[in-house]
Amino acid sequence: MPIQMSGHELLRDLPKSRKEEHYHNAVQSIEEFTIAHELSHHLLGHTVDDYPRSRANDAYLDDVMRKYGIELPDENLNGDQLQELRADVLALLMMTGALLNEATAARIYRASFGSIIGLTALAHIYDTWVVPEASSETHPDFLTRYSCATQVITRIAKEIPVGREGGHPLGLLVQLSGFVSIILNNWLAKRLDDHHPVDVMSLASWLFKRSTELEEELKRLDLWPR
């Protein structure tokens, strides 16, 4: 029998293989990213009531981005779209702790899940997977925001050592990338006659290959325990 839960609709009729708190934590991480994103708009002066320290905050964000080598995508984005990406970046810097040089593996795990799953759900609701044709769109498409988020997470995570049990935030990011690729390929398969969804074996092979590459990369960065 599936677990019957009260509260959030997304937590109903879930498999009993996971504890209820795991599902609550997952949903909460998405909510945290959403709140951090909207707060970032205010802190950076993107709202009607301009925050008094928005210019200083904007400059500080630039400094932290330079520190981690974070760059916004090169696509032709309008002002509103750039604001959305900067709000995403600041939200992730807050969630990971990197904004104040207090990043931890646990925070990066949570920020990764909250941002990637949250952005995926948003794209599913509004069908904004690929670059919109209209340059007047206020928000970038999913691929642009996803690329930006993974860049931020990757830059920060590459300063975190591998855990005692061999876990690392970039390992979760690899799994989330596989999850995203399935969704995108299924979306494309419905619209392109010559495009086929990713099969399980191909995905498993890609995940294994990418995990092996990640392990070697972490060893080169001297993040692997000796």
Side-chain angles (χ1 to χ4, degrees), residues 149-161:
T150 54
Q151 179 199 172
V152 175
I153 295 166
T154 300
R155 298 285 188 179
I156 297 170
K158 283 187 176 181
E159 297 190 0
I160 301 295

Side-chain angles (χ1 to χ4, degrees), residues 95-123:
M95 288 187 71
T96 59
L99 187 65
L100 299 176
N101 199 32
E102 297 176 347
T104 64
R107 289 171 178 170
I108 299 173
Y109 276 120
R110 195 169 183 85
S112 300
F113 194 91
S115 61
I116 301 303
I117 300 300
L119 291 173
T120 303
L122 192 65

Side-chain angles (χ1 to χ4, degrees), residues 6-217:
S6 59
H8 203 295
E9 186 66 29
L10 293 178
L11 302 178
R12 298 182 186 276
D13 299 327
L14 294 170
K16 63 179 181 180
S17 59
R18 295 282 184 177
K19 295 182 179 179
E20 181 176 341
E21 65 183 274
H22 293 161
Y23 293 110
H24 281 292
N25 286 336
V27 173
Q28 287 173 357
S29 70
I30 299 171
E31 293 172 341
E32 287 170 13
F33 173 71
T34 303
I35 293 171
H37 172 90
E38 297 305 329
L39 175 60
S40 294
H41 276 308
H42 180 61
L43 293 176
L44 295 174
H46 301 164
T47 52
V48 176
D49 297 323
D50 194 13
Y51 185 63
R53 288 184 51 82
S54 60
R55 290 186 179 180
N57 291 339
D58 210 48
Y60 184 72
L61 174 59
D62 286 335
D63 289 341
V64 178
M65 289 175 64
R66 280 192 292 270
K67 171 188 173 182
Y68 285 101
I70 298 169
E71 298 179 353
L72 296 182
D74 294 331
E75 288 87 349
N76 294 323
L77 303 174
N78 61 41
D80 289 336
Q81 292 169 345
L82 286 172
Q83 287 185 351
E84 292 299 329
L85 289 182
R86 289 181 69 80
D88 282 349
V89 172
L90 182 53
L92 287 168
L93 290 172
M94 286 192 288
M95 288 187 71
T96 59
L99 187 65
L100 299 176
N101 199 32
E102 297 176 347
T104 64
R107 289 171 178 170
I108 299 173
Y109 276 120
R110 195 169 183 85
S112 300
F113 194 91
S115 61
I116 301 303
I117 300 300
L119 291 173
T120 303
L122 192 65
H124 179 73
I125 293 171
Y126 293 104
D127 196 25
T128 52
W129 298 104
V130 297
V131 179
E133 295 181 1
S135 60
S136 60
E137 293 287 341
T138 59
H139 289 64
D141 63 285
F142 169 78
L143 286 177
T144 301
R145 297 183 74 178
Y146 168 76
S147 176
C148 183
T150 54
Q151 179 199 172
V152 175
I153 295 166
T154 300
R155 298 285 188 179
I156 297 170
K158 283 187 176 181
E159 297 190 0
I160 301 295
V162 175
R164 293 181 179 180
E165 298 180 356
H168 192 271
L170 290 181
L172 172 61
L173 198 58
V174 167
Q175 296 178 40
L176 289 173
S177 297
F179 162 75
V180 168
S181 70
I182 292 176
I183 294 176
L184 286 173
N185 274 279
N186 285 339
W187 183 84
L188 288 170
K190 294 178 180 178
R191 288 160 175 79
L192 302 175
D193 294 335
D194 59 346
H195 193 93
H196 302 285
V198 175
D199 60 81
V200 175
M201 293 303 296
S202 296
L203 177 63
S205 177
W206 180 86
L207 287 173
F208 179 78
K209 179 181 179 181
R210 186 65 191 96
S211 296
T212 302
E213 293 173 346
L214 174 60
E215 181 177 333
E216 294 302 318
E217 184 178 6

